[in-house]
Amino acid sequence: AKDAEAMRKYLIEALGYLDGNIITLPDPTSGDLNRVFGTASRPDGQLYNLVSAKPGRCDVFVYYAGHGAPSVREKRGYLVPIDASPDYIEQNGYPLDLFYSNLSKVLAKDLIVVLDACFTGEAPDTSGRVRTLVRDASPVPVASVTEDVPANSLVMTAAKSNQLACWYRDKRHSLFTYWLLRGLKGEADLDRDGRIVVGELDEYVRQNVPPLARLLYNRDQTPEIRGAAGKELLRIR
C-alpha cells in the first residue's frame, strides 16, 4: 500500500496527472481487476472507458505491486487478487497475457506498465523470508512480459522471470519501487541534460537494485525495462 501511495503521489506532483483520473486499488479482488482491465469477452473495462473520452491523446500509467503466480499446468503468469487461491490460480487469477492484450485495446497515446511482482510462485515477505504460493510445487518461472505487450508501451518489471522481487525493509518499500521512484525524481538523469530517457532509467535501476539484493538477501534481482532506449520519459522541473 505504501508503494502504491508513493507512486500515486509521484504521478500527481511530478507528472501532472489529475487525482480524479487515477484509479487506485489498494487490495484488488478478482472483481476489481475484471472491472478495471476488462475480461476476455469484454475488454472495455473502467480504464478503457476513461481513456475513450479522449482517444489517442491520453498517457496511461499502470502500476502493479503485489503477487504474481504461475500456472504449473499452463506455464502462464497470473496477477494474484486478494481473494484468489494460488492453488486455483487458473480459475481466480488474472492472466498476464489478458492483462497486456486488454491494455493494447486501450486507445492511449503512450502506455507505461510497471510490474513490481515476480511470477515464480514464491514470495518474499517484509522480513525477507520466502514462502511458496503454490503448495507442494517447485518454482515455475514464467515470463512477466508476453507477446501481447502493446507496441506503444514501455514495460518495467522488478526482476527476471526466474528471480524474486525483494523487499527493502529499512525503507518500507519494495527494492525496485524505491529505486525506480528515486530515478524518476531526477537521479536517473545520468548525463545531467535535464531529461530522463528509457536507457538512463534502465541503467540507473540496474546500478542500484542488483547489488543491494545481493547484499541484503544474497539473491539475484535484475530489473528489466522493455522500450526504446532513447525515448524521453520526462523532463526535470
Side-chain angles (χ1 to χ4, degrees), residues 33-121:
L33 294 180
N34 286 329
R35 170 175 54 82
V36 172
F37 298 111
T39 63
S41 60
R42 289 293 304 272
D44 52 335
Q46 184 180 358
L47 177 61
Y48 178 95
N49 290 329
L50 183 63
V51 176
S52 292
K54 295 183 178 180
R57 292 186 288 163
C58 297
D59 293 326
V60 174
F61 192 110
V62 178
Y63 173 76
Y64 176 84
H67 292 309
S71 162
V72 177
R73 184 182 301 107
E74 298 176 346
K75 304 292 192 297
R76 185 187 192 194
Y78 287 82
L79 305 181
V80 182
I82 193 70
D83 57 348
S85 166
D87 292 330
Y88 292 91
I89 198 64
E90 295 159 10
Q91 286 79 19
N92 54 28
Y94 195 89
L96 196 56
D97 52 1
L98 176 63
F99 172 72
Y100 286 125
S101 177
N102 282 0
L103 284 177
S104 72
K105 297 176 176 65
V106 174
L107 303 176
K109 181 177 70 174
D110 284 303
L111 171 66
I112 295 177
V113 178
V114 178
L115 287 181
D116 197 343
C118 55
F119 296 87
T120 62

Side-chain angles (χ1 to χ4, degrees), residues 3 7 61-65 112-118 155-160 164-168 171 173-184 201-202 204-206 208-210 212-213 217 221-226:
D3 283 341
M7 188 62 72
F61 192 110
V62 178
Y63 173 76
Y64 176 84
I112 295 177
V113 178
V114 178
L115 287 181
D116 197 343
C118 55
V155 179
M156 311 181 202
T157 58
K160 292 184 177 181
L164 296 176
C166 299
W167 183 253
Y168 197 176
K171 303 298 182 180
H173 278 293
S174 77
L175 198 57
F176 175 61
T177 292
Y178 176 78
W179 289 107
L180 178 67
L181 283 171
R182 284 191 59 162
L184 289 172
L201 185 61
D202 187 21
Y204 177 81
V205 295
R206 285 173 180 266
N208 289 286
V209 173
L212 203 50
Y217 301 111
Q221 180 181 343
T222 306
E224 296 188 311
I225 297 181
R226 175 173 170 172

